[in-house]
Amino acid sequence: MADTLTPLSPRTDGAGPPPSSTGRETPRPATRKGNGSFRTRVLTPYAMLAPGIVLFVLFMAAPILYTLFLSFKKKQVVGLGLGSGGDSQVFAGFENYVGSLTDPEFAASVGRVLLYGVVLIPCMLGLALLFALLLDSKRTRATAFSRVSIFMPYAVPAVISSLLWGFLYLPAVSPFYYVFDRLGWDVDGVLGSGTVLFAIANIALWGGVGFNMIVIYTSLKAVPTDVYEAARLDGASEVQIALRIKIPMVAPALVMTALFSMVATLQVFAEPTTLRPLTNSLSTSWSPLMLVYRDAFTRDDIYSAAATSVVIALATFIVSFFFLRVVQKRAFGQED
């Protein structure tokens, strides 16, 4: 005999809502959550950002503002300039900026750095693109070892690499000049006045190709392989794929590496400063930053050095801005 199912009786203990007539429990009404307290919504995010904000203010914003403050000041000597009140800071207006822009040494250093960039940047980006394309090719073997070997010079500090190359440039200690001498070749030193720019560019080239190669190679790996397979089915060769597909696809990466290279070129300092004791072809004002260093720490003219620093920063920003404006539509047009 089948058991008779008896309906459940409603709960009377107050532990929950009574069941419905269908036997199912009536869902409880959803409780609307509030927006949270002020501490949760405002104080907690800013507390988490506080270390970064403090570091930015102390090591970025404050030095920039102090440099701007010093650039509008100058030292005024009272009497013989002796004692604690012998000199004081006075407002100079744009006098320091006018002096920096009309300084022939500053103009000459800018010219040298521009020529240095014309030599360095195309070679650096060309080699970085070539290595990235070779590493992305299916015919390349030992890709991981080659990638690390090309990138490794970038991990060497600029001062160390400049010292290493500096001793390789000196005929008295360089193994290359020893071989040249044994072969009877009369090779001039590369640290002469006519070739020292190329010697410095070679150091930056040796250290910078690896970083740019990694950026371009990473961009290449992000391209879908279906694009390459479709091109191969259409009969395109590897050279045609590289020229017509890979290079246009990595145009944003090329723009970014070009921008970084331009900024680094305008700020060249470590290489010529390290090589200067090894040759008489490098002056203390060979580059704009070397000129700033000389004015600030050798001539004790921090006000002129501050103005020149601001000029260099503004020039870097203007060059970067107009460069991005020129190439933006061509390089980033597919992203709009």
Side-chain angles (χ1 to χ4, degrees):
M1 181 176 181
D3 295 337
T4 302
L5 298 177
T6 59
L8 297 175
S9 60
R11 300 182 63 176
T12 60
D13 54 358
S20 63
S21 58
T22 59
R24 299 180 181 179
E25 293 186 359
T26 304
R28 298 181 180 181
T31 303
R32 183 178 180 181
K33 297 183 179 179
N35 294 329
S37 62
F38 176 78
R39 182 178 63 180
T40 303
R41 291 185 291 106
V42 178
L43 296 183
T44 300
Y46 279 101
M48 299 177 67
L49 292 174
I53 295 174
V54 171
L55 291 175
F56 174 80
V57 171
L58 290 179
F59 297 101
M60 288 291 294
I64 291 174
L65 294 177
Y66 186 62
T67 302
L68 286 172
F69 170 77
L70 290 178
S71 65
F72 291 101
K73 294 287 185 176
K74 69 177 181 179
K75 181 186 294 186
Q76 184 177 26
V77 179
V78 179
L80 297 177
L82 303 176
S84 59
D87 56 68
S88 61
Q89 288 185 1
V90 296
F91 182 73
F94 292 95
E95 180 179 342
N96 293 324
Y97 290 95
V98 174
S100 297
L101 294 174
T102 57
D103 186 4
E105 288 186 313
F106 179 71
S109 66
V110 171
R112 284 189 290 265
V113 166
L114 291 178
L115 180 59
Y116 168 80
V118 170
V119 172
L120 173 63
I121 294 177
C123 296
M124 181 186 298
L125 296 183
L127 287 176
L129 178 61
L130 176 62
F131 288 146
L133 292 174
L134 290 176
L135 291 175
D136 192 59
S137 176
K138 289 186 176 182
R139 299 181 180 180
T140 304
R141 299 293 180 266
T143 304
F145 175 77
S146 301
R147 185 170 62 247
V148 173
S149 300
I150 299 172
F151 179 77
M152 190 63 68
Y154 176 75
V156 180
V159 175
I160 303 301
S161 61
S162 300
L163 283 175
L164 294 175
W165 279 102
F167 286 112
L168 292 176
Y169 291 154
L170 289 177
V173 296
S174 174
F176 300 113
Y177 285 94
Y178 175 79
V179 174
F180 295 155
D181 183 65
R182 290 294 183 180
L183 294 176
W185 297 350
D186 187 13
V187 180
D188 297 332
V190 294
L191 293 179
S193 59
T195 56
V196 67
L197 184 144
F198 299 96
I200 298 174
N202 174 67
I203 300 174
L205 180 70
W206 181 76
V209 168
F211 172 79
N212 296 319
M213 179 273 298
I214 289 294
V215 174
I216 300 172
Y217 179 72
T218 304
S219 181
L220 281 173
K221 300 304 289 186
V223 178
T225 57
D226 298 341
V227 178
Y228 304 148
E229 296 299 333
R232 293 188 181 96
L233 290 176
D234 289 340
S237 63
E238 292 297 326
V239 176
Q240 291 175 332
I241 293 175
L243 295 177
R244 299 182 181 180
I245 298 179
K246 291 185 177 181
I247 294 179
M249 292 291 283
V250 299
L254 290 173
V255 171
M256 184 178 65
T257 53
L259 181 61
F260 289 163
S261 301
M262 290 169 59
V263 173
T265 298
L266 295 175
Q267 298 177 356
V268 59
F269 177 77
E271 293 85 354
T273 302
T274 306
L275 292 179
R276 201 177 71 83
L278 304 180
T279 177
N280 296 325
S281 302
L282 293 172
S283 62
T284 56
S285 60
W286 191 86
S287 70
L289 285 187
M290 292 178 67
L291 179 64
V292 171
Y293 182 87
R294 185 200 65 183
D295 291 343
F297 299 102
T298 303
R299 297 183 176 180
D300 196 21
D301 187 4
I302 59 174
Y303 311 103
S304 177
T308 308
S309 300
V310 174
V311 171
I312 296 172
L314 289 177
T316 304
F317 173 78
I318 292 173
V319 170
S320 304
F321 177 78
F322 280 102
F323 175 75
L324 289 177
R325 292 285 294 181
V326 169
V327 302
Q328 182 178 12
K329 293 183 179 179
R330 182 175 181 85
F332 300 98
Q334 66 270 23
E335 299 181 2
D336 295 337

